[in-house]
Amino acid sequence: MSRVLVFGGHGKVAMLLAPLLVSRGDEVTAVIRNPAHVGEVEGTGATPRVADIEQLDTEALAELVAGHDAIVWSAGAGGGDAARTYAVDRDAAIRSMDAAGQAGVERYVMVSWLGSKADHGVPEDDDFFPYADAKLAADDHLRGTGLEWTVLGPGALLDEPGTGRITIDPDGRGAVPRADVAAAVAAALVEPATVRRTLRFGGGEQPIAEAFVAASDAR
């Protein structure tokens, strides 16, 4: 059994992830901002924790994550407002990483995106640029920590049934069901081959855990 804290606990990926973790015996705490979502989160088997991560400083976040075995960052501002995108997707995410270090929670899985690279190619005048820029900064910060980190970079997210199969470093947009992203997070949490790895993936034909191990072996 592992005690997993999920930031962004009412998001679509997190709502699919929680039942996967609970079904294998993990204890899941889902951090949510809106108290109105408590009932839905409880329905996944997770324990909701209402907190506004945008407002919490590093010390408060350290108190929040203390006692857990792993952290999953699946939170995001949802786009639309550049300032809030930076505040959540970059600044709050970075504070949570620093908080994990302070609290002694070593395992940290970041749900990022396929294009989170320095050469992502998103123009600065594009509405999507703040998200691309914020995610890259957060990912880079995580890779520079001493945590047992994994950065998962799925492609375009689909609301379709999961297949349990992916392709590592896909061409194009790498479209993948959110259910498979949730399954990838669950697999990464228990697969040592994913530690200190950035894994970009899309839908495919290789079983998720097998794909992660093969990607590690190919290094």
Side-chain angles (χ1 to χ4, degrees):
M1 182 187 72
S2 185
R3 293 162 296 179
V4 182
L5 184 137
V6 181
F7 285 105
H10 188 254
K12 290 183 178 180
V13 170
M15 292 287 284
L16 295 167
L17 171 63
L20 297 179
L21 300 182
V22 171
S23 68
R24 72 186 187 193
D26 293 341
E27 290 184 3
V28 181
T29 300
V31 180
I32 60 175
R33 186 168 61 92
N34 189 342
H37 296 152
V38 164
E40 291 178 63
V41 170
E42 287 178 335
T44 69
T47 299
R49 178 73 179 271
V50 178
D52 188 349
I53 56 176
E54 188 177 349
Q55 304 300 323
L56 297 183
D57 61 16
T58 303
E59 287 68 29
L61 285 168
E63 292 181 11
L64 183 63
V65 305
H68 292 87
D69 301 306
I71 294 168
V72 175
W73 182 273
S74 189
D81 182 283
R84 186 158 187 270
T85 294
Y86 280 114
V88 176
D89 293 84
R90 182 190 63 189
D91 300 341
I94 287 174
R95 288 198 303 274
S96 77
M97 299 165 200
D98 295 343
Q102 285 189 21
V105 183
E106 295 186 351
R107 191 72 176 104
Y108 192 112
V109 176
M110 164 64 73
V111 181
S112 187
W113 71 294
L114 183 64
S116 182
K117 307 174 185 178
D119 59 349
H120 55 64
V122 181
E124 290 191 29
D125 60 354
D126 191 301
D127 289 343
F128 191 68
F129 180 82
Y131 176 82
D133 194 41
K135 292 301 286 183
L136 177 61
D139 292 354
D140 281 349
H141 186 86
L142 181 57
R143 285 186 283 257
T145 69
L147 300 174
E148 293 183 353
W149 57 267
T150 301
V151 175
L152 296 179
L157 302 179
L158 306 174
D159 288 321
E160 297 179 358
T163 68
R165 296 171 180 270
I166 59 172
T167 296
I168 299 293
D169 294 329
D171 294 327
R173 298 175 68 242
V176 58
R178 284 182 169 86
D180 286 334
V181 177
V185 175
L189 283 167
V190 295
E191 176 48 68
T194 68
V195 174
R196 298 190 177 89
R197 297 292 314 283
T198 297
L199 296 158
R200 308 181 195 280
F201 64 94
E205 297 300 325
Q206 193 169 21
I208 293 169
E210 182 181 305
F212 285 167
V213 172
S216 177
D217 290 344
R219 283 191 295 178

